[in-house]
Amino acid sequence: MTNGTGAEVVVDLDAIAANTAVLRERVGRPLMAVVKADGYGHGLVPAARAALVGGADQLGVAVVSEALALRAAGVTAPVLAWLNGPGADVAAALAADVEVSVNATWGLAEVVAAARATGRTARLHLFVDTGLSREGAPVAEWPALVAAAARAEADGDVVVTGLWSHLAYADAPDHPTIGAQVRVFEEAVAVARAAGLTDFRRHLANSAATVALPGTWYDMVRPGVAVYGLDPLGGDAADHGLRPAMTVRARVALTKRVPARAGVSYGHTYATAAETTLALVPAGYADGVPRAGGNTAPVLAAGKQRTIAGRVCMDQFVLDVGDDPIAAGDEVVLWGPGDAGEPTAQQWADAVGTIHYELVTRIGGRFARRYVGSAGAV
């Protein structure tokens, strides 16, 4: 602990490897482990290495800079970078043997130009919007995109290695949009084949679909948050054989006895019911601890779970521990796997009205990150 506060994010690399292995065995086909957003807050390079130890066939990132960081660290596995706006450094991606995705003919034109400039044939994925209305080529523009891609492939500028899309409601496995999106995806694949594209992997399944929707697995699955041991359906990760890889903890910086009816933190949104001990924890919203956690979010301190007392501040929050013994330097756990009595990221998400994805990717600031386990180690 080198940040002076004792606040740290501990990442279990063996858990990431084991989760990947569980998912890979479940689907029995190639798996792309998504490591975007600094490995969902777990560390881009260590998480990628751990996922590869666990049997991931490929890695997925959002932007080219993430893919180049993997290459700079010596990661040689196939990598796909998919969120490429105008002017993205496609040439650098191709030079580093990174696969890229496009969802518009202008994007394809940029890839072709980069391929010709570098003399490298681009390995290309084509993204169709099947109903999420986010990234992806609209169905009306899909025929023109695949026709242009087929011409570029015939010219030797690209090889189309993937056709893909993304589900809007995979975390609600019975939702009718799933079947509708699958039908649109099947039609888009048929259009691509009719245009002359044949040698590609179809991939549609994110984490939720990987654990709950076998009919969407196609040629490859693309789990993200499940790789880190979090249940994409919002339940208990252990039900899927997964273990959360992240533990967030800090150390008490100060304790004090205060009388009954003492107001605590800004705005006095919490007041003590009786004479009690307060413990100050040096972590706040500048470090990714949600401000909404005030009076709602649980932590483990002095042997039991307790709710944050009063507002979360920029650098600190307060706990009311009653008459239980606690001292400066004692450990406080915000969230972790849950098997030692500590809250889970899912509990926090439920408490503050968000999803665990947001919590694990935003935690940072002055939290030091420490790795345990051998998978993914240099």
Side-chain angles (χ1 to χ4, degrees):
M1 302 177 183
T2 59
N3 57 13
T5 67
E8 64 175 0
V9 175
V10 182
V11 177
D12 185 346
L13 297 175
D14 290 344
I16 293 175
N19 294 332
T20 305
V22 165
L23 296 168
R24 183 65 171 79
E25 182 177 5
R26 176 178 176 82
V27 300
R29 67 200 69 204
L31 179 148
M32 178 193 296
V34 179
V35 295
K36 63 178 182 175
D38 198 23
Y40 284 55
H42 295 70
L44 171 66
V45 173
R49 289 176 173 151
L52 292 169
V53 169
D57 303 272
Q58 184 165 353
L59 301 169
V61 297
V63 296
V64 168
S65 60
E66 294 170 322
L68 297 180
L70 290 172
R71 290 290 186 253
V75 176
T76 59
V79 179
L80 170 66
W82 59 71
L83 193 58
N84 301 309
D89 197 351
V90 178
L94 301 189
D97 196 27
V98 171
E99 300 182 14
V100 294
S101 178
V102 300
N103 50 31
T105 52
W106 63 258
L108 175 61
E110 290 196 359
V111 171
V112 168
R116 292 175 179 173
T118 60
R120 303 289 294 268
T121 300
R123 294 177 59 82
L124 184 69
H125 294 235
L126 303 176
F127 195 136
V128 60
D129 180 5
T130 56
L132 183 59
S133 300
R134 200 180 63 174
E135 55 193 314
V139 170
E141 298 175 14
W142 182 248
L145 177 59
V146 295
R151 290 193 296 271
E153 187 170 81
D155 291 340
D157 295 317
V158 309
V159 174
V160 177
T161 58
L163 296 184
W164 68 303
S165 191
H166 199 56
L167 294 167
Y169 267 100
D171 55 351
D174 296 324
H175 200 277
T177 59
I178 295 169
Q181 285 196 253
V182 167
R183 287 190 292 274
V184 174
F185 186 61
E186 296 276 8
E187 292 166 1
V189 169
V191 170
R193 286 177 172 154
L197 300 175
T198 56
D199 190 17
F200 51 78
R201 282 179 175 170
R202 301 161 297 168
H203 51 108
L204 180 63
N206 57 4
S207 283
T210 297
V211 301
L213 295 168
T216 66
W217 290 349
Y218 291 100
D219 305 312
M220 181 169 65
V221 297
R222 205 176 58 241
V225 82
V227 168
Y228 308 97
L230 299 171
D231 182 2
L233 304 180
D236 186 352
D239 292 342
H240 310 297
L242 306 174
R243 176 179 172 80
M246 177 184 287
T247 298
V248 179
R249 60 194 187 193
R251 294 196 180 274
V252 174
L254 174 70
T255 65
K256 63 180 71 177
R257 292 292 288 181
V258 299
R261 296 181 296 282
V264 177
S265 196
Y266 289 126
H268 287 181
T269 61
Y270 180 88
T272 59
E275 182 181 345
T276 190
T277 297
L278 300 180
L280 182 70
V281 182
Y285 57 77
D287 309 298
V289 179
R291 187 172 182 272
N295 298 316
T296 62
V299 302
L300 177 66
K304 64 180 71 169
Q305 287 194 23
R306 307 167 191 278
T307 302
I308 292 174
R311 289 182 182 163
V312 173
C313 306
M314 186 180 295
D315 317 298
Q316 53 201 286
F317 63 83
V318 179
L319 301 174
D320 182 344
V321 301
D323 295 324
D324 292 337
I326 195 167
D330 285 356
E331 184 176 88
V332 173
V333 181
L334 282 71
W335 66 78
D339 52 6
E342 78 277 13
T344 63
Q346 184 62 57
Q347 284 179 261
W348 265 77
D350 292 341
V352 304
T354 186
I355 54 177
H356 49 47
Y357 296 74
E358 181 180 6
L359 294 172
V360 297
T361 56
R362 74 186 292 180
I363 200 73
R366 289 157 291 194
F367 279 95
R369 190 185 286 152
R370 180 166 63 89
Y371 296 98
V372 297
S374 58
V378 178

